[in-house]
Amino acid sequence: GSPFSDSGSAAPGGHVCPKCGAPQPVSPGQDYFSLLGAKRAFSQDPAELERRFYAISRALHPDRFAAGPDPKWKVISVERMSAVNRAYQTLTKADRLRDYLLELEGVTKEGGKTAAEKTKIPAELAEEWFELQDSVMEDPETAVEKLGRFESDLKRRSADLRDRVSAHERDYDSGSG
């Protein structure tokens, strides 16, 4: 199916009342995905998000409500447009999107860790690094080779982690995660 809900064919619904033309306040339960009419997923279509963002921007532009029957309409349109802008800025940046979606799902980014714990190097990696430093002091000639192995191992570990994260994101998006 489409990653976008049907309510978003031109400008996703709910932004402006179809009967009276008033901009609608953002409801407390509304998230960035619903604001842009997008499916909750890690994978988003940037071109479609951009198209929707500009369609909503045209529909909500505060100038459209400046001379309206109610002066609150302009304020509401500015507030809603600010929320839509934050949604667009979040859903179009992979890291922000990931953090936001995990937060919506109740997963804390840092697992409640303190600032010092967030920057803590895993013990195994620190031990390897200190061994590497020792070998530089003891035998600089073999240290270059050991540094190369350390660097390639670090790249492999990083790629493995990225692949695991991507697999979890695909599982979530397909509904099996």
Side-chain angles (χ1 to χ4, degrees):
S2 168
F4 292 92
S5 62
D6 292 337
S7 66
S9 50
H15 294 287
V16 177
C17 175
K19 292 180 182 172
C20 69
Q24 299 300 294
V26 176
S27 62
Q30 216 164 10
D31 63 34
Y32 291 167
F33 296 98
S34 65
L35 280 170
L36 290 173
K39 178 181 176 191
R40 268 196 194 194
F42 290 101
S43 177
Q44 296 292 327
D45 178 348
E48 181 63 16
L49 286 174
E50 181 177 14
R51 187 185 71 72
R52 287 169 181 266
F53 173 74
Y54 285 113
I56 295 165
S57 296
R58 284 189 298 276
L60 281 179
H61 197 283
D63 289 350
R64 293 188 57 183
F65 304 102
D70 188 333
K72 290 185 286 189
W73 286 15
K74 184 174 181 178
V75 173
I76 293 169
S77 74
V78 168
E79 289 170 352
R80 189 166 189 100
M81 197 55 233
S82 294
V84 168
N85 190 47
R86 286 190 305 274
Y88 179 72
Q89 293 303 316
T90 299
L91 300 188
T92 56
K93 311 276 186 304
D95 288 344
R96 289 182 189 176
L97 166 62
R98 182 178 301 116
D99 291 348
Y100 180 72
L101 186 49
L102 289 173
E103 182 183 318
L104 285 179
E105 292 294 340
V107 179
T108 58
K109 181 178 176 187
E110 300 297 341
K113 295 180 181 179
T114 65
E117 291 170 325
K118 290 177 191 175
T119 58
K120 189 175 180 182
I121 297 172
E124 178 186 326
L125 187 60
E127 187 177 327
E128 290 177 39
W129 178 251
F130 290 129
E131 286 175 11
L132 187 60
Q133 285 181 319
D134 288 345
S135 72
V136 167
M137 301 301 271
E138 295 168 7
D139 188 2
E141 292 174 15
T142 62
V144 172
E145 179 185 327
K146 288 180 181 178
L147 180 60
R149 282 196 309 267
F150 178 80
E151 182 180 23
S152 63
D153 187 47
L154 198 55
K155 286 180 180 176
R156 180 191 52 76
R157 288 179 189 178
S158 181
D160 287 348
L161 285 173
R162 272 193 309 273
D163 290 346
R164 289 174 54 199
V165 167
S166 293
H168 286 298
E169 289 176 351
R170 284 191 303 275
D171 285 349
Y172 178 91
D173 288 356
S174 70
S176 61

